[in-house]
């Protein structure tokens, strides 16, 4: 686990004024990393207030010693930084914190350097933080798995393996897109409403989003050498918001016997900023408390450290902005508010299980949590659950789906053309400065 240190001091302020406002998503305690473009080549940056600082410009000015200097200078994305050991990543955070909080720092006092390195966030384009090699999606929420299972198998919502291992499937890295990218409604095979009739091919009619949290992998492991649960935290670089767009009609028809395929692989959105595990240190929380009659995880998925602080205190919100809301000047309407603390499996358990057969991970690989749903209706992380009539695993017999209703008079069971889904996330704690993950948005075309 990363330590809480002076970089988490809630009183710390920056000489960049916008970082000190109470509404600031990127105060000096956050320091998320990303990749941006301001006309020229992609550059690695850190967000502070309403600015982004180009790390490449700082590296060229000799502000970082190796291995940080090389990891920044020789890469156009975060792969270099994701290849570094925890000590170097902690060093980067401390150095960036010093640069933005000390009014005597080189960046604060060298006006030419400042002009070259500082950009307004509003003026830059954010890109994917890393070219992901492999992407895996899990299914780690007990509430989500129970709700969805009870729609398809009312008598047997959770399969016997679910509480013994984090269920996952290999996703598609090539269709990961950064927040803001438009999402084209997929075509595919759609099951017939009539039992036994042939499917049709056409545009998906039940397009959905899935609220998820992703983790980028650091270091990686050699093929054949599993990562133990005790070591797994060192292999997590940071977290990000993920929208796993899902075509529910296609999914229902294709998912057996091998799991999700084209219903998921047409697009997955990621937020541009990566909040590092170092920044999350004050927000670590106990892992999900299993019910007394739940099975204990097998020894390789159990450790005191994971039980004590394998969780993350992270609030997650989904909003919807339709074309009509846009035309009427309304803001996005909240669909759900939930917590990452409701997840049954921790990110470290997912990574440990993933590599337990010797499968190798590489720096920049992405694992996603699966839909984050909580026990209450308002904490359901997708429309499939939000418009379903049931209470955590107990369907209401004889009922249909109930549409969500909006102030524009519009109703939704699933997403319509022009709908924009906006996911936001933040970590708050009474004794700490709130830090945000930014947003992950995508509009359906
Ligand atoms: Mn998913």
């Amino acid at each position: 686990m990363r330590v809480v240190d002076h970089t988490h001091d809630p009183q710390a302020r920056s000489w960049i004024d916008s970082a000190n406002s109470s509404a600031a998503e990127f105060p000096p305690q956050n320091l998320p990393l990303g990749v941006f473009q301001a006309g020229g080549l992609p550059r690695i940056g850190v967000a502070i207030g309403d600015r982004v600082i180009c790390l490449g410009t700082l590296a060229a000015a000799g502000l970082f010693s190796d291995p940080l200097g090389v990891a920044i200078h020789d890469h156009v994305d975060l792969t270099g930084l994701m290849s570094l050991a925890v000590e170097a990543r902690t060093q980067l955070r401390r150095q960036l914190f010093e640069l933005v909080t000390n009014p005597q720092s080189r960046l604060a006092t060298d006006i030419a350097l400042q002009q070259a390195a500082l950009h307004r966030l509003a003026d830059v384009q954010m890109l994917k933080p890393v070219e992901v090699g492999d992407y895996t999606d899990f299914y780690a929420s007990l509430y989500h798995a129970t709700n969805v299972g009870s729609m398809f198998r009312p008598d047997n919502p959770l399969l016997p393996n679910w509480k013994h291992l984090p269920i996952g499937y290999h996703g598609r890295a090539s269709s990961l897109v950064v927040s803001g990218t438009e999402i084209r409604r997929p075509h595919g095979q759609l099951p017939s409403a009539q039992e036994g009739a042939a499917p049709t091919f056409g545009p998906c009619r039940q397009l959905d989003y899935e609220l998820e949290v992703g983790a980028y992998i650091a270091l990686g492991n050699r093929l054949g050498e599993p990562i133990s649960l005790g070591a797994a935290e060192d292999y997590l670089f940071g977290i990000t918001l993920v929208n796993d767009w899902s075509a529910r009609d296609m999914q229902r028809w294709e998912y057996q016997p091998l799991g999700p395929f084209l219903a998921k692989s047409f697009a997955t959105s990621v937020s541009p900023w990566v909040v590092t595990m170092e920044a999350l240190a004050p927000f670590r929380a106990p892992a999900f408390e299993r019910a007394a009659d739940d099975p204990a995880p097998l020894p390789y998925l159990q450790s005191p450290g994971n039980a004590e602080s394998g969780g993350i205190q992270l609030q997650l919100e989904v909003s919807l902005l339709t074309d009509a809301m846009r035309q009427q000047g309304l803001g996005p309407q909240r669909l759900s508010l939930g917590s990452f603390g409701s997840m049954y499996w921790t990110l470290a358990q997912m990574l440990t299980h993933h590599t337990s057969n010797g499968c190798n991970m590489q720096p920049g690989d992405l694992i996603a949590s699966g839909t984050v749903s909580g026990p209450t209706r308002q904490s359901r992380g997708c429309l499939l659950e939000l418009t379903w009539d049931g209470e955590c695993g107990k369907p209401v017999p004889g009922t249909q789906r109930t549409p969500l209703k909006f102030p524009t008079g519009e109703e939704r069971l699933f997403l319509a053309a022009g709908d924009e889904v906006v996911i936001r996330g933040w970590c708050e704690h009474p004794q700490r400065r709130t830090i945000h993950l930014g947003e992950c948005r995508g509009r359906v075309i």
Side-chain angles (χ1 to χ4, degrees), residues 135 137-138 169 210 212 244 246 264 370-371:
Y135 157 53
D137 194 25
F138 284 89
Y169 69 95
E210 287 190 340
E212 305 200 11
D244 177 25
S246 298
K264 303 278 191 173
T371 306

Side-chain angles (χ1 to χ4, degrees), residues 257-426:
L258 283 184
F261 186 36
L262 302 184
K264 303 278 191 173
S265 62
F266 60 96
T268 304
S269 300
V270 293
S271 57
W273 294 110
V274 183
V275 172
T276 62
M277 299 315 287
E278 287 73 36
L280 294 170
F283 305 101
R284 301 311 299 265
F288 187 88
E289 199 174 328
R290 292 181 170 223
D293 55 352
D294 277 3
L298 288 171
Y300 79 101
L301 289 175
Q302 239 191 88
S303 80
N306 182 68
E308 265 164 43
S309 50
I312 302 171
Q313 244 175 43
L314 166 63
Q315 300 301 115
L316 295 161
E317 179 198 63
V318 182
S319 309
L320 183 73
L321 184 64
T322 67
D323 278 345
M325 291 172 196
R326 225 176 262 117
Q327 279 153 16
Q328 295 176 26
L330 293 173
Q333 304 291 303
R334 181 187 276 180
L335 303 184
S336 70
L337 179 66
S339 163
F340 197 55
S342 63
M343 300 304 272
Y344 196 83
W345 297 100
T346 64
L347 291 169
Q349 284 173 317
M350 294 178 217
L351 176 59
T352 295
H353 180 65
H354 201 320
T355 65
S356 62
N357 66 345
C359 174
N360 54 326
M361 309 292 289
Q362 304 194 75
D365 281 357
L366 179 69
I367 60 173
S369 62
T371 306
V372 183
S373 289
T376 61
R377 181 172 274 268
Q378 70 137 20
S379 58
R380 294 176 181 173
C382 60
L383 289 174
L384 184 68
E385 288 172 89
L386 279 169
T387 62
W388 169 69
D389 291 310
E391 284 309 326
C392 199
K394 297 184 199 74
V396 180
T399 55
Q400 302 295 314
R401 295 191 159 271
T402 305
L404 300 179
K405 295 181 167 61
F406 299 104
T408 48
E410 293 172 291
E411 297 188 345
R412 290 287 185 275
L413 284 173
F414 292 97
L415 297 171
D419 286 0
E420 187 170 22
V421 178
V422 185
I423 299 177
R424 310 188 63 81
W426 62 93

Side-chain angles (χ1 to χ4, degrees), residues 195-248:
E195 186 93 18
T200 55
F201 185 87
C204 155
R205 295 185 196 119
Q206 298 186 335
L207 186 59
D208 200 355
Y209 63 85
E210 287 190 340
L211 159 67
E212 305 200 11
V213 173
Y216 288 103
I217 302 303
L219 298 166
N221 58 308
R222 289 213 183 109
L223 185 62
E225 295 179 7
I227 298 171
S228 72
L229 188 58
E233 287 281 340
D234 286 0
Y235 291 80
L236 298 173
F237 182 83
I239 64 169
T240 198
L241 299 169
V242 174
N243 183 343
D244 177 25
W245 302 93
S246 298
R248 299 301 185 190

